[in-house]
Amino acid sequence: MVKDKIMENMYEQARLLQRQNNINEAIRIFEQISIVEYSKGKIGLFLRLGNLYESVDLYGKAIDAYKRALTIARSLGNKKAENYISYTMLGLIED
């Protein structure tokens, strides 16, 4: 429980940094969160991370983050998220 609360606080901190356009620091925190158990089932975490990578031209990392989000969406049976992520990835792959 304490670990989840810490991860939630880190997630909110990263979102705040993203809104403040402190992209590199937001990426650093999202990356830390993405490697712990907390990240399982967190489609939004990997979507945000993919968006941030894309915004700083790290397209390979963006695709990897979107793939993780897509895997989660499929495992949860979330077709809406699956379609959105696939569409987002298509734009990167075609460029």
Side-chain angles (χ1 to χ4, degrees):
M1 293 300 244
V2 172
K3 183 178 176 183
D4 285 346
K5 190 65 174 168
I6 291 170
M7 293 298 111
E8 288 172 18
N9 288 339
M10 289 177 70
Y11 185 84
E12 290 305 318
Q13 180 185 11
R15 288 183 63 200
L16 176 63
L17 289 165
Q18 181 181 9
R19 286 191 302 273
Q20 294 172 341
N21 212 27
N22 191 342
I23 303 303
N24 291 325
E25 189 62 17
I27 288 173
R28 187 185 68 76
I29 293 171
F30 279 130
E31 285 176 337
Q32 288 176 340
I33 297 168
S34 74
I35 61 174
V36 297
E37 186 75 19
Y38 173 81
S39 67
K40 288 189 176 178
K42 306 293 185 191
I43 298 169
L45 169 67
F46 293 103
L47 280 174
R48 286 184 184 280
L49 193 51
N51 289 335
L52 289 168
Y53 284 141
E54 198 174 341
S55 74
V56 292
D57 300 331
L58 295 173
Y59 300 113
K61 285 188 171 192
I63 290 170
D64 290 342
Y66 291 140
K67 283 180 180 178
R68 288 183 74 182
L70 186 59
T71 298
I72 294 167
R74 286 180 176 154
S75 73
L76 297 173
N78 188 334
K79 289 291 186 187
K80 185 176 180 180
E82 187 178 338
N83 291 338
Y84 174 79
I85 297 161
S86 296
Y87 181 77
T88 301
M89 288 176 62
L90 184 62
L92 285 176
I93 294 169
E94 288 186 344
D95 287 344

